[in-house]
Structure formats: structure tokens, C-alpha cells
Amino acid sequence: MNIILLGPPGAGKGTQARKLVDDRNMVQLSTGDMLRAARTSGTEMGRKVAAVMDRGELVTDEIVIGLIREQLLAAGDHGGFIFDGFPRTLAQADALGELLSEIGARVDHVIELEVNDDVLVERIIGRAAETVAAGGQARADDNEESLKTRLMAYYKQTSPLVGYYYAKGDLKTVDGLASMDDVAQSIADAIA
Ligand code: AMP
């Protein structure tokens, strides 16, 4: 079973994806994590995307589709893929459908985590403050300026996917403002 988690930055996609990995032996494919790893290891692609990411804009479809293609082909035995932060554009959504059909699979469920924007800003600024308080380094894009750009990118480029998957009959919407466990339960019900 393959699942897409859809929602704006701070909606809890990463948290819920990790829970599905633990509970169901699924494989989390987060393009944000892959891009941050490329930056940390200093690859040419990592250097190319750094400034774009820090501003909160989307990197090119070509780059993220390439990353997903590699991971899909490399994966061994597992309980399915969870796409977290991908697809973010209609072109990525089309590419994902094609890539999955190449390996004889499909998107089974698209879960939209619905939240309100004031909460997102609080969560993300809070996430940065907590990381710093614990002696870590906050994500470079977890600041108010980048967050505005990330939210705008979500509404302009990614939110059309809600209609796209609704029309395909794959969309389920859950309340992303509920507690972490309640959101997990709503997701479990949606994919049962
Ligand atoms: P995330 O961790 O999902 O919030 O992603 C962090 C940043 O990585 C985003 O703000 C984008 O700059 C970039 N990014 C991650 N996934 C994608 C994607 N599917 N398409 C384009 N850019 C992406």
C-alpha cells in the first residue's frame, strides 16, 4: 500500500510518516530529508539547491523526481511507501503515477492533513526554538520570512493536488490539529 501525506509545512507529515514506518514497516520517502542529506554530504546537487531551500522556494521538478525514482528502484521488501513532501506540483504528481506504474504499483491513498495557518506558524517557530534550546541547529528555512514563502508555495503550487486527487477518488482529509495519536488513528481509519 502506497500513501501520500499532503499538507502545508508544519502540518505533521514527517511525524505521522515516522509513525507509519514504526507501526507498519513502511518506507518513508521524504524529498526534504533527501535534499538536506545532499546538502550535508556536499554533493553538487546539494550545493545547487541550498539557497532555493533556504528561501523556502521549491527546487525543480527534475531534481526531486530524480531522487524519488532512485529510491523507488532501490527499495527492497517493505510494507509500502509513504510519500512525505512529495509530490508538491502537478507535474510531480503525474510523474509519481508513471513511476509507480512502472514498478506495478499505484497511489492507494492520499491523506490531506488539514490545519489552520496560525497554528502552522506557531508550530514551526516553536520547532526552531525547541531545537536551539536543546543545543541543536534549527532548520535554515524555519524562520518567519522563509515560512511565508513556503506557505505561498504550498497554496500556489501544491494545494491544487487536493483537487487532483479528489477527482481521482483517492483523497481523504483528516484533522491535522488533533493530538498526534488522534491524527494517527484518523489516518489508520482512512487507509483501513
Ligand atoms: P520539507 O522538509 O518537506 O519541508 O522540504 C524542505 C524544502 O525542500 C522545501 O521548502 C523545498 O525547498 C524543498 N523540497 C522538498 N520537497 C520538494 C518537492 N517535492 N519539490 C520541490 N521542492 C521540494
Side-chain angles (χ1 to χ4, degrees), residues 10-92:
K13 301 185 295 294
T15 304
Q16 294 299 330
R18 284 187 290 278
K19 208 167 156 31
L20 288 162
V21 170
D22 292 344
D23 297 349
R24 295 173 185 251
N25 188 33
M26 297 183 77
V27 173
Q28 176 185 8
L29 295 183
S30 158
T31 40
D33 287 349
M34 293 173 207
L35 292 165
R36 280 184 288 278
R39 291 179 62 170
T40 307
S41 58
T43 64
E44 193 191 329
M45 186 268 280
R47 281 196 298 276
K48 212 160 97 182
V49 298
V52 175
M53 288 177 75
D54 289 350
R55 283 198 300 274
E57 295 165 8
L58 295 188
V59 311
T60 64
D61 289 336
E62 194 188 353
I63 287 176
V64 288
I65 291 166
L67 287 169
I68 289 287
R69 177 195 298 275
E70 270 172 35
Q71 299 289 322
L72 286 183
L73 299 179
D77 235 17
H78 56 82
F81 294 109
I82 310 154
F83 298 94
D84 153 21
F86 181 94
R88 261 175 157 100
T89 64
L90 290 166
Q92 292 176 25

Side-chain angles (χ1 to χ4, degrees), residues 44-160:
E44 193 191 329
M45 186 268 280
R47 281 196 298 276
K48 212 160 97 182
V49 298
V52 175
M53 288 177 75
D54 289 350
R55 283 198 300 274
E57 295 165 8
L58 295 188
V59 311
T60 64
D61 289 336
E62 194 188 353
I63 287 176
V64 288
I65 291 166
L67 287 169
I68 289 287
R69 177 195 298 275
E70 270 172 35
Q71 299 289 322
L72 286 183
L73 299 179
D77 235 17
H78 56 82
F81 294 109
I82 310 154
F83 298 94
D84 153 21
F86 181 94
R88 261 175 157 100
T89 64
L90 290 166
Q92 292 176 25
D94 282 335
L96 178 60
E98 282 163 24
L99 285 172
L100 284 173
S101 81
E102 276 173 35
I103 58 169
R106 64 185 297 274
V107 173
D108 296 290
H109 301 283
V110 179
I111 309 288
E112 179 196 11
L113 296 173
E114 203 175 38
V115 284
N116 87 38
D117 292 346
D118 293 340
V119 174
L120 295 179
V121 176
E122 274 167 33
R123 275 194 190 175
I124 289 190
I125 301 304
R127 166 166 87 186
E130 269 172 34
T131 308
V132 171
Q137 198 178 7
R139 278 174 52 165
D141 59 351
D142 274 355
N143 62 73
E144 271 191 83
E145 195 53 39
S146 299
L147 183 53
K148 270 190 219 153
T149 311
R150 287 158 68 197
L151 271 180
M152 191 56 81
Y154 180 77
Y155 288 112
K156 278 174 84 166
Q157 294 165 278
T158 308
S159 67

